[in-house]
Amino acid sequence: MKQIDNNKDWDVIVIGGGATGLGVALDSATRGYSTLLLEQSDFAKGTSSRSTKLIHGGVRYLAQGNIDLVKEGLYERGLLLKNASHLVNNQSFILPTYNWWDTFVYTISLKTYDFLSGKLSFGKSVRISKKDAAFRLSTLKKEHLKGGIVYHDGQFDDARLAINMAQTAIEHGAAVLNYFGVTQLQNDVKGKVYGVNAVDNESHKAYAFKAKVVINATGVFADNIQQMDNKDAKNTVRPSQGIHLVLDRSFLPGKDAIMIPKTADGRVLFLVPWHNRVVVGTTDTLLNSHSLEPKPLETEIDFVLETANAYLNKKLARSNVLSVFAGLRPLAAPKDASEKTKEISRSHKVIVSESGLITITGGKWTTYRKMAQDTINKGISLGKLPNRKCQTKHISIHGAGGSADDTDHLYVYGTDQKHIKRLIERSSNLGEKLHGRLEFLKAEVVWAVQNEMARTVEDVLARRVRILFLDAKAARAVAPVVAEILASHLAKDDAWKQSQIDEFIKLTAQYIL
C-alpha cells in the first residue's frame, strides 16, 4: 500500500483485474510506464476464471471464414506455451466422425488450422481409424463411428495464469490491487478524463489518483465504466453465458480431449482433461444483465448433459457432476437483435470516448497479450504516452520454467513449487491434505495468503487452489480449515472467520447439482 500512498500520479491506470486488465498492466509496466491496476473484487473473479480452460485459435471460427482471428489466436497460443510453460500444455483432441463427408470436411479444416499455426504449431492433425478412436476414447459411443481426427491445441489453468500475470506485473513495477473499486472518473473543465476516485473495499479508505491514460478493461462491466464517463453512452457489450460441468476422470480416462463439432445450438462441445478431472462445456445463452457470480440455468445444464450423453457410452447423470460453473463472454453488442452470439466476432475492439477514456472490449483469453498491446499502442497514438515498444512477446510469466506435467498437482506453481515444499519442511503439518479425497495441501493456503494476494476463503478455494471448480461439496467441507489458516495470517477475529465460512457455504450452493 506504500506504493499508492506515496504516489497519486500515474502514467496508466487500468480498471479491471481479469485477463484483459492484467495483460494491459503487464504490457504497460514492461514498457516502463508507471502503472496502477484496480480490481473491485478478486483477480479473475468473473469471466477469466470460468473459461473452457483452452488456449486456442478457435477451430469454429474457420467455418465463419474469420482467418485473421484464427491466425492471431494460434500465434498467441504459441507465445503462451513458451512464456507460461508451467500452466499451458499441448493437449491432443480427437474429433470423432460418424460419416465420410464429415471426415473429409473436418480433415480439410484441421489441416488448414495446422497451416495457419506456422512455426508455432503444436503438432500436425492426423486421421485415425475407428479402432484407434475407440481405443483412445474408451467412453465414446462406437455405433456408426467411422474414425476420428487428432489435432492439437492448448490447455491451461485460467485463474492461476491470472494470478501469475499479476505477480509478473508487480515484478516489473506495477501496483496491482484487488478489492479496490473505482467509484468515479475525474474530468477536467474540458471534460477530459485525468484520473479516478477509488475506495479500498477492506479499509473503506477513499483515494484519488491521476493518470495520463485511464483504461477501462472490465469485460462484461465495460458499459458501467463507460456510463460513468458519459451517462448517455450506449451499451457496447452484450453478455453471453457459457456453463461447464466438471466430472471425475472415469468419463474420459485417457489423455485425449474430445471435440464435438456439432451441437443443437450450433456451437462445439468440449470434454477436456483438467486437474485430473474432466471439464465439459459450453453453452451460449444471450443475457440482458451481467453479474460477478452468474448462475447456470437449468436448461443449460440439461443441454450439456444431453449433448454429452449422445456421444458417451458411460451414462452421465446430474449426480455425477462434481461442480457446475457459469461464465460470461463480453461480446460486442449485436446491431441486429436476432443475431446469434455464436456468429458475433470474438475479435477485440479498442474504443476511445470523447473524454479520452480508452475501453478494450471483446477478445478471449488466448489473445489477451495482443489486446493489451493494441490498447497501450492506442494510448501512444493519442499522444498521451511516450512511444516505447511492446516487450511482452518474450516476457516470461511468473512461475515459468517449470513443466506443465500434471503427475504432481503442485506443477501449477512452476518455479514456486520449491518454496511450497520448503514451507512443508519447516512446518510438517502444512503437508497435510485439506480433504481426504483431494490432493491439495494446507501449505497451498499459506502460500496463497502470503504470496498470491488471497484475502478470502473464496479467493483461495475458487481461484488459487481451484477446489470450488473441481469438487464443490469438498470445497464446502474444507471452508472452516481454510478460514482458520487465513484468520491466523491476516490477524482476523472469530467473527470474521465465521462470516467467511457462512458466505462461502452460501456461494457453493450454485456450484452443486
Side-chain angles (χ1 to χ4, degrees):
M1 297 299 287
K2 287 181 182 177
Q3 201 173 357
I4 61 167
D5 287 332
N6 297 334
N7 185 10
K8 296 296 190 294
D9 294 337
W10 303 83
D11 292 327
V12 177
I13 291 177
V14 183
I15 308 171
T20 307
L22 290 165
V24 172
L26 178 56
D27 186 293
S28 175
T30 53
R31 296 198 205 203
Y33 305 130
S34 61
T35 305
L36 171 66
L37 179 144
L38 303 173
E39 162 56 45
Q40 65 173 331
S41 183
D42 185 31
F43 308 116
K45 157 73 176 175
T47 303
S48 298
S49 61
R50 302 162 185 275
S51 73
T52 313
K53 320 308 177 195
L54 300 180
I55 294 293
H56 62 129
V59 173
R60 72 185 181 91
Y61 304 134
L62 281 178
Q64 298 171 6
N66 203 332
I67 301 297
D68 289 343
L69 182 63
V70 175
K71 197 171 182 179
E72 178 182 83
L74 290 170
Y75 179 76
E76 295 299 325
R77 181 191 72 171
L79 293 182
L80 263 169
L81 185 64
K82 292 180 178 180
N83 295 336
S85 56
H86 61 308
L87 289 175
V88 179
N89 63 40
N90 185 333
Q91 174 67 57
S92 58
F93 287 75
I94 297 178
L95 187 158
T97 56
Y98 291 86
N99 63 66
W100 296 119
W101 176 247
D102 281 352
T103 301
F104 172 74
V105 170
Y106 295 135
T107 298
I108 297 298
S109 294
L110 291 169
K111 287 296 182 186
T112 305
Y113 198 63
D114 295 344
F115 174 76
L116 292 174
S117 65
K119 294 179 180 178
L120 294 174
S121 171
F122 278 32
K124 292 182 178 180
S125 59
V126 293
R127 282 173 56 180
I128 57 174
S129 67
K130 174 182 177 178
K131 181 180 178 182
D132 286 343
F135 175 75
R136 291 174 66 163
L137 300 174
S138 60
T139 53
L140 185 70
K141 281 186 178 174
K142 313 302 186 293
E143 189 178 2
H144 305 304
L145 181 67
K146 301 299 182 189
I149 308 161
V150 180
Y151 75 98
H152 295 262
D153 244 327
Q155 183 258 34
F156 80 133
D157 186 313
D158 46 13
R160 292 290 322 164
L161 180 54
I163 300 306
N164 286 164
M165 284 164 58
Q167 291 170 304
T168 312
I170 291 167
E171 289 160 3
H172 284 88
V176 177
L177 303 172
N178 53 355
Y179 296 101
F180 227 101
V182 170
T183 56
Q184 188 178 1
L185 301 179
Q186 297 177 17
N187 299 82
D188 62 20
V189 292
K190 294 182 179 179
K192 300 298 183 182
V193 169
Y194 69 90
V196 303
N197 293 336
V199 63
D200 180 338
N201 292 333
E202 292 183 352
S203 70
H204 305 295
K205 182 178 177 181
Y207 291 82
F209 302 111
K210 294 180 180 178
K212 296 172 183 173
V213 176
V214 177
I215 295 169
N216 172 16
T218 53
V220 294
F221 295 91
D223 290 334
N224 296 41
I225 303 298
Q226 290 196 98
Q227 285 154 12
M228 199 181 279
D229 178 47
N230 173 10
K231 62 182 176 55
D232 298 320
K234 292 182 179 179
N235 287 344
T236 59
V237 174
R238 184 73 185 273
S240 164
Q241 178 163 291
I243 75 152
H244 299 82
L245 309 182
V246 179
L247 319 172
D248 70 57
R249 278 306 296 273
S250 65
F251 285 91
L252 193 64
K255 292 183 178 181
D256 301 299
I258 299 176
M259 195 268 263
I260 297 168
K262 287 182 182 177
T263 66
D265 74 345
R267 290 183 62 83
V268 298
L269 193 80
F270 292 100
L271 289 84
V272 184
W274 189 61
H275 292 312
N276 204 33
R277 282 85 175 168
V278 182
V279 175
V280 186
T282 181
T283 56
D284 191 4
T285 307
L286 200 60
L287 300 182
N288 293 315
S289 61
H290 53 259
S291 161
L292 268 174
E293 195 59 60
K295 294 184 169 118
L297 305 175
E298 288 298 316
T299 52
E300 293 180 301
I301 294 166
D302 291 340
F303 170 79
V304 174
L305 288 171
E306 289 168 11
T307 304
N309 274 325
Y311 287 85
L312 297 176
N313 60 32
K314 180 179 170 67
K315 180 69 175 174
L316 172 58
R318 294 171 77 95
S319 59
N320 301 122
V321 177
L322 299 173
S323 184
V324 54
F325 61 91
L328 301 179
R329 305 175 190 90
L331 300 178
K335 295 176 182 177
D336 179 355
S338 66
E339 191 173 357
K340 295 178 181 178
T341 57
K342 68 182 177 65
E343 293 167 355
I344 299 172
S345 173
R346 294 299 300 276
S347 57
H348 59 274
K349 294 178 183 177
V350 181
I351 302 166
V352 183
S353 72
E354 289 184 10
S355 72
L357 174 71
I358 298 176
T359 297
I360 171 71
T361 65
K364 58 180 182 174
W365 241 119
T366 307
T367 56
Y368 83 83
R369 193 207 64 81
K370 182 61 164 61
M371 293 165 67
Q373 179 180 327
D374 290 350
T375 305
I376 296 297
N377 284 350
K378 178 60 73 173
I380 294 170
S381 71
L382 292 172
K384 294 174 178 288
L385 297 169
N387 191 355
R388 297 172 187 164
K389 288 186 178 180
C390 177
Q391 303 294 317
T392 53
K393 280 186 183 179
H394 307 295
I395 293 286
S396 290
I397 301 300
H398 181 96
S403 164
D405 173 11
D406 62 1
T407 51
D408 180 345
H409 81 279
L410 294 176
Y411 79 90
V412 294
Y413 296 96
T415 54
D416 283 338
Q417 187 174 340
K418 60 181 180 289
H419 300 304
I420 294 172
K421 291 182 175 176
R422 215 166 282 151
L423 286 175
I424 297 169
E425 288 170 7
R426 289 199 292 264
S427 301
S428 60
N429 66 304
L430 295 182
E432 296 171 3
K433 289 185 174 183
L434 288 169
H435 190 283
R437 72 168 179 263
L438 301 180
E439 59 269 40
F440 308 103
L441 310 175
K442 289 181 179 179
E444 295 176 75
V445 182
V446 174
W447 182 257
V449 67
Q450 288 184 344
N451 299 280
E452 295 182 342
M453 299 170 278
R455 307 296 297 169
T456 70
V457 169
E458 183 195 335
D459 293 349
V460 173
L461 292 178
R463 291 171 293 280
R464 306 305 188 279
V465 183
R466 309 312 311 266
I467 297 177
L468 178 61
F469 285 74
L470 294 168
D471 192 328
K473 287 181 180 177
R476 185 167 60 187
V478 303
V481 177
V482 174
E484 183 71 44
I485 296 171
L486 284 175
S488 66
H489 283 82
L490 296 173
K492 300 292 186 180
D493 59 19
D494 287 344
W496 179 88
K497 187 167 61 177
Q498 190 57 52
S499 71
Q500 281 289 302
I501 295 168
D502 293 343
E503 286 173 21
F504 185 74
I505 287 175
K506 183 179 178 182
L507 174 68
T508 60
Q510 72 185 62
Y511 289 77
I512 297 171
L513 288 189

